[in-house]
Amino acid sequence: MSKIRSMSLTTRIMIGMVLGVAVGFIFQAILAGEDDYLIPLGLFSLPIKAFFVDGLFHVGGQIFIASLKMLVVPLVFVSLVCGTCSLSDPKKLGRLGGKSIGLYLVTTAIAITVAITLALLFNPGEGIGLPSQASYDAKEAPTLARVIIDMFPTNPFEAMAKGNMLQVIVFALLFGIAMALSGKAGKRVATVFEDLNTVILKLVTLLMNIAPYGVFFLMAKLFTTIELNLIVSLAKYFGVAVLALLLHAFVNYTLLLKILTGLNPLTFLAKMKHTCLFAFSTSSSSATMPITLETATKKLGANNSVASFTIPLGATINMDGTAIMQGVATVFIAQVFSVDLTISDYLMVILTATLASVGTAGVPGVGLIMLAMVLNQVGLPVEGIAIIIGVDRLLDMTRTAVNVTGDCMVTCVVAKSEGELDENIFNDPNAAKKI
């Protein structure tokens, strides 16, 4: 037991993930397409699916996700208020916002360009037969005006209760600015928020101890229930999408980091391992946000005044992983339905997906809404989404890991440009190793 505790958290999470995948495959082989399988135990029989998959694994995994999401709103609100009220120059907020949004848009445009290029190179849609009943009910995307209006909360407590991150960010920014301009009263309140921030970060550390178990439960359930035949039939689409995601994370991000900051990309990637494992397991940038923020400040050396702004913003508007899925899916669906797209169509896809990443920020189910929007823009049938939706769960895990990597890369670039990056922490391989 002491040997297990002496392992790093990243190692324990990796063990939990591998064991979860192994157990999932074993249970899937035992079930072999049956509704359930009973293990005889003398006086009674134990149903594998009812007890383990829908019971233990489901409950354990959902408790883990819920415990992470529980931290998101208080962590973002308190850390962003602390970061904003500590800014000596209120104009700095405008610079931070402009740089962050600009970088997120640039990386999204690069992501979808890479995805389309690879898809055109490998032709993933060739030889795929049309399903007899392909249908998908696409939800309508809200107008840009509606999104901008909805950024401002009428009731900040309701925004927090519903987890509306854009509204929470806006209220936290306004509250922090008001504190900074309130003199002694603001300083007294700021002391309370600093103490709250310390307590919340300690809670994050405590909850990290259940992470290996939570990851095990999530992986075990997923790989027991996932339809492997779907992945085989869409192997080319799946492979191209994963290749594009990996290229974007390991090549595009590292090049941008090196060019814009001069920092060592290998050091950056090494420090992102733990956060990426979390993101892969949870498939949620929001649920991973407490870990991402800890990594950005304590491992990468970004000042909290920058990271508390760029990380929540990135979790809301950074759509690089989704943009890659849209690029590959657009080419795939066009080839499946034998529709020839022109260069201008592909440019329109890049422009639409890039601008939509901000225009649909904070909208639930935004990935599929954006894909439906892109397909409509170039005249492709939205029903094509039904073909790929079966393998989207595994891709979503990889997309989330790419997104959080992008959030931290942008945070490093913005922090460096503002003189708010501690390079000693960034270059220290032992910085916050327990996180």
Side-chain angles (χ1 to χ4, degrees):
M1 185 63 75
S2 59
K3 197 172 183 181
I4 294 173
R5 284 177 183 169
S6 66
M7 292 179 181
S8 69
L9 184 58
T10 305
T11 304
R12 283 183 282 147
I13 291 172
M14 182 65 80
I15 291 170
M17 183 179 290
V18 171
L19 287 176
V21 172
V23 169
F25 278 133
I26 291 167
F27 278 11
Q28 186 164 128
I30 292 171
L31 290 169
E34 297 294 325
D35 290 337
D36 211 335
Y37 181 86
L38 298 175
I39 303 173
L41 296 174
L43 295 175
F44 63 95
S45 297
L46 191 66
I48 284 182
K49 193 167 189 298
F51 181 79
F52 288 104
V53 182
D54 297 333
L56 185 63
F57 297 163
H58 176 70
V59 172
Q62 290 309 303
I63 288 173
F64 174 56
I65 295 289
S67 67
L68 288 174
K69 288 185 174 179
M70 171 185 72
L71 295 170
V72 171
V73 170
L75 179 66
V76 169
F77 178 67
V78 172
S79 64
L80 194 47
V81 167
C82 290
T84 307
C85 74
S86 67
L87 291 175
S88 55
D89 180 11
K91 292 179 183 176
K92 189 174 181 179
L93 266 182
R95 292 202 308 273
L96 287 178
K99 289 176 182 177
S100 304
I101 293 172
L103 273 169
Y104 284 131
L105 285 175
V106 167
T107 58
T108 301
I110 292 170
I112 194 165
T113 304
V114 167
I116 289 174
T117 304
L118 285 175
L120 288 172
L121 194 63
F122 290 103
N123 299 316
E126 284 187 355
I128 302 290
L130 278 173
S132 55
Q133 292 181 324
S135 63
Y136 178 76
D137 183 22
K139 294 180 182 177
E140 189 176 345
T143 62
L144 181 59
R146 185 74 258 165
V147 170
I148 294 172
I149 292 168
D150 287 343
M151 284 171 61
F152 294 85
T154 54
N155 183 341
F157 295 103
E158 183 185 12
M160 291 179 189
K162 290 184 175 178
N164 189 321
M165 290 317 301
L166 277 181
Q167 292 186 355
V168 172
I169 289 169
V170 168
F171 179 65
L173 289 173
L174 294 174
F175 196 84
I177 291 169
M179 280 171 57
L181 299 174
S182 297
K184 290 182 179 178
K187 288 179 181 177
R188 288 196 297 270
V189 178
T191 304
V192 175
F193 270 86
E194 291 291 348
D195 290 343
L196 277 173
N197 198 39
T198 303
V199 172
I200 290 172
L201 290 177
K202 175 56 70 175
L203 182 57
V204 172
T205 305
L206 290 174
L207 286 173
M208 289 311 95
N209 291 319
I210 69 166
Y213 307 102
V215 169
F216 170 79
F217 291 137
L218 289 170
M219 292 296 103
K221 183 180 179 185
L222 174 64
F223 282 89
T224 302
T225 55
I226 197 165
E227 295 183 41
L228 295 176
N229 59 319
L230 275 176
I231 298 174
V232 173
S233 64
L234 295 172
K236 210 170 179 184
Y237 165 78
F238 188 83
V240 171
V242 169
L243 177 62
L245 287 164
L246 294 176
L247 271 176
H248 191 59
F250 290 105
V251 179
N252 296 339
Y253 284 153
T254 54
L255 280 175
L256 283 170
L257 184 74
K258 186 66 178 175
I259 292 167
L260 297 176
T261 67
L263 297 170
N264 188 333
L266 295 179
T267 302
F268 172 78
L269 290 174
K271 294 194 172 193
M272 285 304 301
K273 281 189 302 185
H274 176 202
T275 309
C276 287
L277 278 175
F278 252 92
F280 186 82
S281 305
T282 61
S283 299
S284 170
S285 294
S286 294
T288 313
M289 202 189 303
I291 319 302
T292 314
L293 193 53
E294 285 273 271
T295 299
T297 53
K298 295 187 177 180
K299 283 189 175 183
L300 298 173
N303 191 291
N304 186 60
S305 63
V306 175
S308 63
F309 179 78
T310 55
I311 296 296
L313 184 68
T316 310
I317 72 168
N318 179 16
M319 302 285 183
D320 289 6
T322 305
I324 286 170
M325 180 268 283
Q326 290 163 2
V328 177
T330 300
V331 176
F332 174 81
I333 291 168
Q335 291 174 349
V336 167
F337 286 90
S338 301
V339 177
D340 290 325
L341 297 179
T342 62
I343 294 294
S344 60
D345 287 329
Y346 289 121
L347 291 174
M348 183 59 69
V349 169
I350 294 168
L351 182 64
T352 304
T354 303
L355 296 179
S357 66
V358 173
T360 55
V363 179
V366 66
L368 294 176
I369 290 175
M370 283 173 63
L371 180 54
M373 190 191 307
V374 167
L375 294 177
N376 279 324
Q377 193 70 39
V378 291
L380 288 172
V382 176
E383 290 76 19
I385 295 176
I387 306 171
I388 60 172
I389 206 166
V391 297
D392 195 60
R393 178 70 175 85
L394 268 182
L395 286 176
D396 191 31
M397 297 161 76
T398 315
R399 285 202 301 267
T400 308
V402 170
N403 285 343
V404 298
T405 306
D407 295 344
C408 285
M409 186 278 293
V410 168
T411 299
C412 286
V413 172
V414 174
K416 174 79 172 176
S417 70
E418 292 288 330
E420 299 284 359
L421 184 81
D422 188 332
E423 292 193 43
N424 290 327
I425 293 177
F426 182 92
N427 292 317
D428 181 4
N430 298 314
K433 219 169 184 183
K434 290 185 180 179
I435 300 176

